[in-house]
Amino acid sequence: MAVIVANWKMNKVLSEAIEFTKALKSMSIKNGRKVIIAPPFVYLNQIVNELKGTEISVSAQNMFYEDKGAYTGEISPLQLIDIGVEYVIIGHSERRNIFKEDDELISKKLKSAISHNLTPIFCIGEKIEERRSGKTFEIIKKQLTDGLKLINADEIYKIIFAYEPVWAIGTGVNATPEQAGEVHQWIKAYLEKKYLNLTGESVKILYGGSVTAENAKSLMSIDGVDGLLVGGASLKIDSFEKIINF
Ligand code: PGA
């Protein structure tokens, strides 16, 4: 099953969000595609309702790890599941870099999401200077080790991973098949060795960073790529449809 996620980030007003969702609902989607849309918080409730009775799921773009309390401006996992949200993006590079989220916070969020039966979409990826200085795998390993610090071996399957090289996000420069394949295969081998070798089960790893209608098919053909996390190209129904039905 290929997982295709639309990360709208801080885009769209309500009428645009609803119009897109109605169009998505009436679209014919190839078998073997799991479609998830991640709208801004303020539209989650309406979009969940709009998509009731369909196979399309809804994700939040972030959450806090506590259930409730004096955390002005935050949204809790309880509030997300209460309205029917099933997934949550955790550790997106924009959260890490602009809002200074660190691996410790990300780990708490992952643990909390899993304990509430929300499926986390856990993002990792290196910056351009880290890649240039040959530190890609060191960074990926640190993000995995520290981010998964609170996660037990039997919880690893509940996470969808997303490799998003920071230099590819919103830049129009996607990773080459060699670059993406190398990192995806490395992550799978690392996780299997560390957590999964007893059962042989595998995890899903999405690729994100300048995915377009034009490159979706070739990215999906890379060994180790199980789906796509799409930003810019998920905002227009035409390009998102082509990506879903690559
Ligand atoms: P992009 O964003 O597709 O616009 O590069 C991807 C992401 O940040 O998830």
Side-chain angles (χ1 to χ4, degrees), residues 7 9 89 92-94 123 164 168-172 208-212 229-234:
N7 176 12
K9 309 191 179 185
I89 299 173
H92 189 279
S93 67
E94 286 148 19
C123 302
E164 297 208 303
I169 296 177
T171 58
S210 295
V211 174
T212 62
L229 177 47
V230 191
S234 76

Side-chain angles (χ1 to χ4, degrees), residues 53-66:
T54 74
E55 300 278 297
I56 303 164
S57 296
V58 177
S59 174
Q61 297 175 13
N62 182 30
M63 61 166 226
F64 193 51
Y65 57 81
E66 295 285 3

Side-chain angles (χ1 to χ4, degrees), residues 47-109:
I47 292 182
V48 166
N49 288 332
E50 192 65 48
L51 291 172
K52 275 215 174 98
T54 74
E55 300 278 297
I56 303 164
S57 296
V58 177
S59 174
Q61 297 175 13
N62 182 30
M63 61 166 226
F64 193 51
Y65 57 81
E66 295 285 3
D67 286 357
K68 59 182 174 182
Y71 303 103
T72 302
E74 292 296 320
I75 306 282
S76 89
L78 272 187
Q79 295 167 329
L80 295 176
I81 48 169
D82 183 49
I83 60 164
V85 171
E86 296 172 88
Y87 296 81
V88 58
I89 299 173
I90 303 281
H92 189 279
S93 67
E94 286 148 19
R95 300 293 324 165
R96 292 175 187 264
N97 298 323
I98 304 170
F99 302 101
K100 307 295 173 218
E101 291 197 10
D102 60 15
D103 292 321
E104 194 186 333
L105 176 64
I106 289 165
S107 190
K108 287 183 183 159
K109 291 184 177 193

